[in-house]
Amino acid sequence: MTDHTSDPTRLTDLTARQLLAGYERGDFSPLDATRAVLDRIEVVQPLVNAFVRVDADAALAQAEASTARWSAREPRGLLDGVPVSVKDIFLQRGSPTLRGSRTVRTQGAWDEDAPAVARLREHGAVLVGKTTTPEFGWKGVTDSPLSGVTRNPYDPSRTSGGSSGGSAAAVALGAAPLSIGTDGGGSVRIPASFCGIFGFKPTYGRVPLYPSSPFGTLAHAGPMTRDAADAALLMDVISGADWRDWSQLAPAPGLSAALTDGAAGGGGVKGLRIAYSPTFGNQVAVRPEVASAVRRAVGRLAELGAYIEEADPDVTDPVEAFHTLWFSGAARLVEPFGAEQRELLDPGLREIVAAGERYSALDYLAAVDARMELGRRFGRFHESYDLLVTPTLPITAFEAGRETPRGSGQRRWTAWTPFTYPFNLTQQPAASVPCGVDGDGLPIGVQLVAGRHADALVLRAAHALYESGAAPGIPAPGITPAGS
């Protein structure tokens, strides 16, 4: 491992687990790591626009307190001193949560943490800043009337994806090793794939949410990290119980241990039954370079001892049901807004609001019926297969500032995300793991999906890919740490 003590900026290369090990050994301190991350943010922010707010003074104060605890050999919790960024959808005490919208007033007490943020504080994490989101997280790319365009760390002319695009770009560029994002139709997995990091959407309710999302039970919260081991560690923290979310599941501690503990079902993928669906039964046109990279990752799973079968789930594209639920949520969100406020909205958001306002209650219930049938079919599928493997996305990152690729003829972001939103409808755990790059050096992701509640299984398989070297961290070309 590189000697990071002589060059503190290299601390931004480390995972959370590596930082914690360094704190334990006394190689460096949380204050060293936080200063390095803040310096890193200054370098990358003008290039990718990943943050809407950075509170250096507050972060340094938290880091100083953590350094004192480590010096006394009394660390607090699982993430003491680890720098973390937070998507600007989550409430954070002392920081306005504007959700990418000019309609949200900055005035107010801002005196409450969302459940995941509260758990981070309890475990001693250092909160370095809020990351960008499209307005109210409504689409699969990250640009908004409030904060502008967030760009891809591998090519700033391309999109970071979304809606957790700021978090993905920040993690990819070393601007804190951990971030928390939200995923209502792929919003953790899409930018993870485009930015070459690990993104995990846990089973719905595994991470409590408050306030509840306007998109209802489609919306999940999850970790965005350098690898699966860091995600499991972060899940052990943010899945803690919070009474404010009536739909939360029971806490599921021990996900980190389950990665390698055979008694807990860990220890790689040997013997797992894995279905490989390259195109959802010829329903999706996948770019050849993406298909090849995903096929190689599947081959690696086979080499690791998994039983692989090319098999497609018995489903048709549920996009109409998803649109009904998604657009209705958007309409409900802005229902209280007057004409002046609506004029401030992203034009695309105004369009889906108008569509949502035309749906009837019967339309909505029909979409719920379609969702339940989809869940039934995937439940039956996972009676035969432990995991489903697909591309995360059929394409790599396209031009920044656009909802869809130029010249595609596509109208909405869901047209190029057919592998992600079905699993928000079914509430299954799903992860995007980096598995290569295309000819332009843009990252490609492979998606791992399990049945509901099998979060440990997804993390275990992803960890096996990382441990085998099949899911390498991919350095972003052209953007390097200061002083390197």
Side-chain angles (χ1 to χ4, degrees):
M1 182 181 296
T2 303
D3 179 7
H4 297 272
T5 57
S6 60
D7 183 1
T9 62
R10 306 308 297 175
L11 293 171
T12 60
D13 292 343
L14 300 185
T15 66
R17 292 163 69 94
Q18 289 170 330
L19 286 176
L20 290 165
Y23 300 160
E24 175 69 27
R25 294 191 301 266
D27 293 346
F28 44 77
S29 72
L31 191 56
D32 294 329
T34 300
R35 284 173 173 156
V37 164
L38 292 172
D39 288 345
R40 184 71 166 131
I41 291 172
E42 285 191 11
V43 172
V44 303
Q45 176 63 9
L47 299 170
V48 296
N49 187 33
F51 287 85
V52 291
R53 192 168 302 103
V54 176
D55 190 340
D57 290 341
L60 291 170
Q62 294 166 34
E64 286 178 359
S66 175
T67 297
R69 291 191 294 270
W70 279 104
S71 295
R73 314 300 292 176
E74 296 178 349
R76 184 179 74 199
L78 298 177
L79 293 177
D80 202 350
V82 176
V84 183
S85 65
V86 174
K87 183 180 181 181
D88 197 35
I89 290 288
F90 295 93
L91 292 178
Q92 182 176 321
R93 188 175 72 243
S95 177
T97 299
L98 303 182
R99 302 193 285 176
S101 181
R102 293 181 294 172
T103 68
V104 179
R105 296 171 59 86
T106 59
Q107 295 85 349
W110 301 107
D111 57 359
E112 189 171 20
D113 283 330
V117 178
R119 302 295 85 77
L120 288 170
R121 287 195 199 273
E122 290 167 4
H123 283 262
V126 175
L127 304 177
V128 297
K130 303 293 287 292
T131 57
T132 53
T133 176
E135 194 162 26
F136 301 111
W138 80 269
K139 60 183 175 181
V141 294
T142 301
D143 57 73
S144 76
L146 181 69
S147 57
V149 177
T150 296
R151 300 180 179 276
N152 192 291
Y154 292 81
D155 179 350
S157 73
R158 311 290 185 110
T159 180
S160 64
S163 63
S164 305
S167 289
V171 170
L173 290 170
L178 306 179
S179 192
I180 51 172
T182 58
D183 189 317
S187 289
V188 161
R189 291 160 290 154
I190 293 166
S193 182
F194 278 178
C195 294
I197 68 162
F198 183 73
F200 179 54
K201 179 189 78 67
T203 300
Y204 176 80
R206 183 65 64 208
V207 177
L209 275 172
Y210 172 84
S212 58
S213 170
F215 303 109
T217 58
L218 295 171
H220 304 55
M224 306 183 73
T225 61
R226 296 276 184 80
D227 59 25
D230 266 12
L233 176 63
L234 186 51
M235 282 295 299
D236 284 342
V237 170
I238 64 176
S239 63
D242 196 292
W243 61 267
R244 293 172 292 176
D245 183 354
W246 63 271
S247 64
Q248 67 181 312
L249 299 176
L255 287 175
S256 290
L259 296 180
T260 55
D261 180 2
V269 297
K270 187 175 182 179
L272 291 183
R273 303 163 300 168
I274 298 179
Y276 167 43
S277 180
T279 61
F280 268 1
N282 294 318
Q283 294 184 75
V284 183
V286 177
R287 193 167 293 173
E289 288 176 299
V290 172
S292 295
V294 172
R295 193 177 301 114
R296 287 193 296 271
V298 171
R300 189 62 179 140
L301 290 169
E303 293 171 2
L304 293 171
Y307 298 108
I308 307 293
E309 180 180 348
E310 190 164 322
D312 300 309
D314 179 24
V315 297
T316 56
D317 188 356
V319 68
E320 293 305 321
F322 181 81
H323 281 171
T324 300
L325 300 172
W326 193 257
F327 297 176
S328 296
R332 178 67 183 92
L333 169 68
V334 307
E335 184 182 21
F337 291 9
E340 290 185 4
Q341 279 185 299
R342 291 191 179 219
E343 282 299 313
L344 297 174
L345 295 174
D346 182 327
L349 178 55
R350 287 203 303 269
E351 289 176 6
I352 71 164
V353 165
E357 290 171 338
R358 292 192 291 269
Y359 291 125
S360 69
L362 290 178
D363 293 330
Y364 190 92
L365 291 173
V368 171
D369 287 343
R371 180 183 192 179
M372 289 191 291
E373 173 60 15
L374 185 71
R376 184 189 71 81
R377 288 173 182 258
F378 271 110
R380 183 173 63 188
F381 186 79
H382 284 288
E383 287 289 296
S384 301
Y385 301 102
D386 299 303
L387 289 171
L388 170 65
V389 178
T390 75
T392 305
L393 298 167
I395 61 175
T396 52
F398 53 88
E399 182 182 348
R402 296 184 54 85
E403 185 182 345
T404 59
R406 188 180 298 277
S408 68
Q410 297 168 340
R411 180 64 177 160
R412 295 267 79 100
W413 62 272
T414 44
W416 51 269
T417 61
F419 294 113
T420 60
Y421 57 77
F423 303 108
N424 294 85
L425 289 164
T426 62
Q427 303 185 339
Q428 294 170 242
S432 180
V433 184
C435 63
V437 295
D438 69 7
D440 293 325
L442 297 169
I444 296 166
V446 58
Q447 180 174 232
L448 309 179
V449 185
R452 291 179 77 244
H453 309 294
D455 302 77
L457 191 58
V458 173
L459 290 167
R460 162 187 162 188
H463 182 63
L465 284 174
Y466 276 99
E467 289 289 284
S468 73
I474 310 167
I479 303 177
T480 55
S484 64

